[in-house]
């Protein structure tokens, strides 16, 4: 198992914004690598469902005891998926007695939305016909 820590999007030593919108400027190598780690965390169906369950929970937080029964997976496997979401900066948690409670980190999802969203009225770059395109 990899011990690689994921950099939380927008929490690096660099100054300024983490990543420009995709229509503003191309991502540099570091920005693309950091962003890819977050998307990798979201690229698993179990983690995507966990994030959705946490984000949509009334009250803004959910106990791990309420997440585990929704899956046909062991508790350690669910904990591993939650750990990866936490390392990606998508969720955070707090232990209360025997249970751990999770909540969404909206700043991270807002940054993702900002990177992928174009401003209303912003035009897309002009498409050029490729040489191999069929007419």
């Amino acid at each position: 198992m990899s011990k690689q820590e994921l950099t939380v999007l927008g929490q690096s030593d660099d100054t300024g914004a983490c990543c420009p919108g995709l229509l503003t400027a191309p991502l540099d190598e570091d920005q693309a690598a950091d962003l890819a780690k977050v998307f990798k965390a979201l690229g698993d169906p179990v983690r995507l469902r966990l994030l959705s369950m946490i984000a949509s929970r009334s009250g803004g937080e959910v106990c791990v005891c309420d997440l585990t029964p929704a899956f046909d997976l062991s508790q350690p496997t669910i904990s591993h998926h939650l750990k990866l979401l936490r390392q990606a900066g998508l969720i955070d948690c707090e232990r209360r007695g025997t249970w751990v409670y999770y909540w969404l980190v909206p700043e991270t999802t807002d940054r993702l939305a900002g990177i992928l969203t174009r401003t209303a009225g912003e035009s897309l770059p002009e498409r050029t016909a490729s040489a191999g395109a069929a007419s």
Side-chain angles (χ1 to χ4, degrees), residues 20 32 56 59-60 108 127 130:
S56 65
T108 303
R127 291 180 60 193
S130 66

Side-chain angles (χ1 to χ4, degrees), residues 4-85:
Q4 178 183 10
E5 288 292 318
L6 299 176
T7 303
V8 176
L9 192 62
Q11 292 186 2
S12 65
D13 292 337
D14 300 332
T15 58
C18 163
C19 304
L22 293 178
L23 297 178
T24 306
L27 299 172
D28 67 29
E29 287 183 42
D30 291 336
Q31 292 167 332
D34 288 343
L35 189 56
K37 291 172 186 175
V38 177
F39 281 115
K40 184 175 181 179
L42 291 172
D44 181 272
V46 171
R47 290 192 289 271
L48 199 51
R49 283 187 61 209
L50 282 166
L51 184 69
S52 174
M53 291 172 71
I54 293 166
S56 65
R57 185 63 173 224
S58 176
E61 63 183 29
V62 62
C63 178
V64 69
C65 63
D66 295 324
L67 296 171
T68 305
F71 299 90
D72 189 25
L73 298 168
S74 69
Q75 181 275 324
T77 300
I78 296 296
S79 291
H80 172 72
H81 285 296
L82 290 166
K83 174 184 169 185
L84 293 176
L85 289 170

